[in-house]
Amino acid sequence: ARRIRRVVQGGEAAGSDAVVAYHQHVGTMVALADPICDRARRHEVVSSFIDFAENSGKVPCWFSIGSETADIVRGLGWRATQIAEDTIIDLPGLEFKGKPWQHMRTAMNKAKREEITCRMTRLSDENFAIVSQVRSISEEWVGDKGLPEMGFMLGTTEEAMDPEVRVALALDPEGNVHGVLSWLPVYGGGGEIRGWTLDVMRRRNDGFGPVIEFLIGSSALVFKEEGAEVASLSGSPLTRSDHEADLEQIDKVLDYLGKTIEPYYGFRSLHTFKKKFNPRYEPVFIAYRDESDLARIALAIGRCYLPNATPSQMVRLMASST
C-alpha cells in the first residue's frame, strides 16, 4: 500500500469492499493492477473505475492486468495488448533435480562451501546493523544507475520494512549481508496466503557470486515446506517473449520506453535471467479506450515509472536512446 499514490474505493456503484489502486499523471488515471474485489463483481468494479475517471475528466487506463480483466475491458470495446509476462514457479513437488536445475544445485553447493546461509525474516525485526547493510546495498545499486529508484514497479527498502513483507538475507559467518530479496504475499480466497511474489532483489557488488540464484532457490524451498502454491518472480516490465510479433501502436510506444530504460534498469536482461528458474508464464496486459489516448497514456506511464526524476535526468534518459 505504501507504493500506491492514490486509492479509490469504487463508490456506490462498486461498494466499499472493492478497491482500485491507481496513479494519476498528465490527466490520466492509470490503474496499476486488477481490481481488488470478489471475482463475481470484477466487471462491475472495472466499469465503476472507468466511469470515475471519465466523470473526473481524466483518461482511464488499465496497466499490468491479467487475462480476466483484459477480457472484461475488451467486452467494453477497449483494446488490450500484452506488455509483460509474470514468471511463476509452481511449488508443490518442486525439486532441483535434472539438467535444467544444474545451475541451482551449483549455487546451493557453492554457498554451503563458502558458509553462506539464507535467513528468512522480516526486515523490520532485524537489528540496525543488518538494516543498514541492506540500505547500503540498495543505495549502491541506485547510485550505479544515475537515475532515481522507480516509483511503482520496482520495490525499495522502505516497502521491505513492512511487517507483512518477508525478506531473504544471504549472510556469511561474520554477519555480512551479500544479497537480499523481499517477498510480498499473494492472497487467495478467504484472505489466506497462497504464495509469494518477488519485489526487491539486490546484491552486494563484491559479494558472493551466485547470491540471487541461491536466495531464490532457498526461498522457494522454504515456501514449499510451508505449503505455499506458487512463488512468482514477478513480471519483467516492458518485456515479453514474442519480440518478433507485429507491434501495435501502443506496443511501439512501450517498446521504445523499454529500450530507453533498459541500459539503466535492465528489464530485458532481468527477463532473460528469470528463465533460469524454469517458470511458467502468464501474460500481463495494458488496456486503453482508443488510439487517440496513447500519447497521453505513454507520458503517464513514463511518469509512473520515474515519478521523482528531475528534468535533467529525463533529458539524459531520452538522449541515451538516440
Side-chain angles (χ1 to χ4, degrees):
R2 295 179 184 178
R3 289 165 63 183
I4 296 171
R5 173 169 296 182
R6 298 177 182 272
V7 174
V8 55
Q9 294 187 343
E12 293 183 4
S16 60
D17 59 345
V19 174
V20 174
Y22 69 96
H23 275 207
Q24 181 172 293
H25 299 288
V26 294
T28 304
M29 288 187 180
V30 183
L32 303 183
D34 296 313
I36 304 170
C37 63
D38 185 274
R39 176 170 289 180
R41 299 186 59 238
R42 185 168 291 185
H43 190 288
E44 173 190 357
V45 176
V46 167
S47 297
S48 178
F49 174 77
I50 292 171
D51 290 343
F52 174 80
E54 292 178 337
N55 291 337
S56 301
K58 304 296 190 297
V59 173
C61 171
W62 288 89
F63 191 71
S64 194
I65 58 176
S67 297
E68 186 174 339
T69 304
D71 288 341
I72 290 173
V73 293
R74 286 190 183 109
L76 297 174
W78 283 38
R79 303 183 70 178
T81 300
Q82 183 181 341
I83 44 84
E85 292 173 324
D86 194 5
T87 48
I88 299 172
I89 301 173
D90 292 308
L91 298 177
L94 177 66
E95 294 182 332
F96 298 138
K97 294 182 178 180
K99 186 175 181 180
W101 293 107
Q102 178 62 50
H103 66 283
M104 183 64 71
R105 296 194 299 274
T106 299
M108 305 286 268
N109 291 335
K110 186 175 182 180
K112 186 175 182 180
R113 290 195 302 271
E114 298 189 19
E115 299 183 88
I116 302 293
T117 59
C118 174
R119 181 159 81 209
M120 187 66 68
T121 182
R122 260 82 177 176
L123 193 59
S124 57
D125 293 336
E126 292 295 324
N127 60 40
F128 177 79
I130 294 293
V131 174
S132 295
Q133 288 187 68
V134 171
R135 290 187 187 279
S136 177
I137 291 170
S138 186
E139 289 168 1
E140 180 181 54
W141 183 86
V142 174
D144 289 342
K145 308 302 174 187
L147 287 168
E149 281 198 283
M150 289 195 160
F152 100 113
M153 275 231 173
L154 296 182
T156 69
T157 306
E158 296 310 310
E159 286 83 41
M161 291 294 291
D162 191 302
E164 294 188 26
V165 175
R166 298 178 74 178
V167 168
L169 301 172
L171 301 166
D172 65 22
E174 288 72 42
N176 298 310
V177 178
H178 288 250
V180 56
L181 306 180
S182 72
W183 296 91
L184 310 178
V186 177
Y187 291 97
E192 295 184 1
I193 295 175
R194 62 179 293 266
W196 298 87
T197 186
L198 183 62
D199 191 28
V200 170
M201 182 169 63
R202 302 282 191 271
R203 54 167 296 160
R204 202 172 79 191
N205 286 343
D206 60 347
F208 176 64
V211 66
I212 300 300
E213 292 91 333
F214 167 66
L215 284 176
I216 289 177
S218 299
S219 298
L221 293 178
V222 168
F223 298 148
K224 173 190 172 183
E225 289 300 313
E226 294 174 349
E229 299 174 23
V230 295
S232 168
L233 302 184
S234 301
S236 299
L238 309 177
T239 63
R240 64 185 189 183
S241 295
D242 59 336
H243 292 301
E244 301 304 317
D246 291 333
L247 297 179
E248 299 180 32
Q249 185 174 350
I250 186 65
D251 289 318
K252 293 177 182 178
V253 172
L254 295 173
D255 190 58
Y256 173 80
L257 186 58
K259 288 178 179 178
T260 302
I261 294 177
E262 170 66 20
Y264 296 93
Y265 293 102
F267 289 152
R268 292 173 179 181
S269 55
L270 178 61
H271 185 67
T272 300
F273 172 78
K274 291 177 180 179
K275 292 180 180 179
K276 298 171 65 174
F277 301 95
N278 307 302
R280 62 179 172 86
Y281 298 98
E282 292 187 359
V284 178
F285 298 88
I286 183 173
Y288 54 99
R289 299 178 305 184
D290 186 83
E291 289 187 356
S292 61
D293 294 331
L294 291 182
R296 181 169 290 184
I297 287 173
L299 288 172
I301 291 172
R303 185 50 68 180
C304 283
Y305 276 105
L306 294 168
N308 300 314
T310 65
S312 62
Q313 287 172 327
M314 293 300 291
V315 168
R316 186 189 322 145
L317 180 67
M318 294 307 165
S320 70
S321 63
T322 61

